Amino acid sequence: MQSIIRAENVGFAYTRVPVLENISFNVQTGDYVGLIGPNGGGKTTLLKVLLGLEQGTGTVSLFNTPLDKFKDWHKIGYLAQKSPVSASRFPISAEEVVLMGLRGCGSNVSVCELKRVHEAMQQTRTREYAGKIFHDLSIGQQQRVLLARALVSKPKLLILDEPSTALDAQSREMFFNLLGELNQQQGVTILLITHDTGEVGKYISKFMYVDKTVIFFGTKQEFCHSAAVAKQLGPFAQHTIDHLHNHHGHCPLGDDCETCAHGGRAHA
Ligand code: ADP
């Protein structure tokens, strides 16, 4: 299995105070990683270091290539926490926003580029807003247009920083279903910062818990067993976050689930 993001002993400090220390992990093809942790724990900073937007120490490789030699940026779609497009009042259409996701497109838009834009808008169910002014759309619609922009170069890796914060419950569900489809049907690898573990938990295959360093990185099942996670969150939160215990009754670990206070039954 190909390594998509490899971090070895990564560190970072904005001033002299370290924000990230000794970060090591390996995201592989097809992984859907939920990046969780306390506010101020360094999640956003870590994404920026991985993308070379901040200069860290240690080693980062993307698609098996060291970060300083990596050129295939079209393979990566990034949805930042605060998009400059959302902040600006410039009267730009939704379609033009998506077009911005194609590198090197000037004023002459090729048919090929337009086709890509339409495809990405189809995927994110935003074709119907193509001609509308981006700012007139609801937050949920804007977020899906920004996702179309992140998808337009057909990335193999999507990196998203809390994309659901401003969304209502319905838009959130639609957004996460869409990401689940991209991961499961098209094999797009996803690294997502989220507090929405309840909604997104059913799609995520791995968790990474970061509080200055990696407290935990592994599958949902391993998350359930992890003493390090139990120490950070307490067993109750540990077992609700992983989404294995919610709604449908039994914990898949059954009687092996030592820390589950409810004997492997749902907490909900
Ligand atoms: P998280 O995403 O987990 O909430 P952040 O990566 O945003 O954490 O922040 C980690 C730490 O770095 C926090 O203490 C935050 O105040 C600090 N920080 C974030 N951005 C900057 C910045 N541009 N300059 C200085 N400190 C920053």
Side-chain angles (χ1 to χ4, degrees), residues 4-5 62-63 75-77 155-159 188-191:
I4 302 291
I5 309 173
L62 299 171
F63 296 87
K75 286 187 178 172
I76 303 178
K156 302 261 181 279
L157 168 67
L158 261 184
I159 294 184
V188 177
T189 305
I190 299 179
L191 175 60

Side-chain angles (χ1 to χ4, degrees), residues 16-82:
R16 283 202 201 132
V17 186
V19 171
L20 300 173
E21 268 180 352
N22 197 17
I23 299 255
S24 299
F25 63 89
N26 185 16
V27 174
Q28 294 175 311
T29 315
D31 279 349
Y32 186 161
V33 181
L35 175 48
I36 58 175
N39 278 334
K43 301 180 294 299
T44 295
T45 305
L46 176 58
L47 293 193
K48 289 182 180 169
V49 171
L50 296 176
L51 290 165
L53 301 172
E54 296 284 5
Q55 185 75 44
T57 55
T59 315
V60 174
S61 303
L62 299 171
F63 296 87
N64 284 323
T65 306
L67 186 58
D68 56 350
K69 299 205 167 48
F70 186 74
K71 302 263 187 297
D72 295 331
W73 291 105
H74 64 275
K75 286 187 178 172
I76 303 178
Y78 175 48
L79 190 46
Q81 202 170 22
K82 291 188 191 85

Side-chain angles (χ1 to χ4, degrees), residues 107-126:
S107 51
N108 293 324
V109 180
S110 70
V111 175
C112 175
E113 284 170 330
L114 265 186
K115 272 178 98 168
R116 292 270 280 273
V117 167
H118 288 175
E119 266 170 38
M121 296 191 89
Q122 193 85 40
Q123 255 182 322
T124 57
R125 335 273 200 263
T126 52

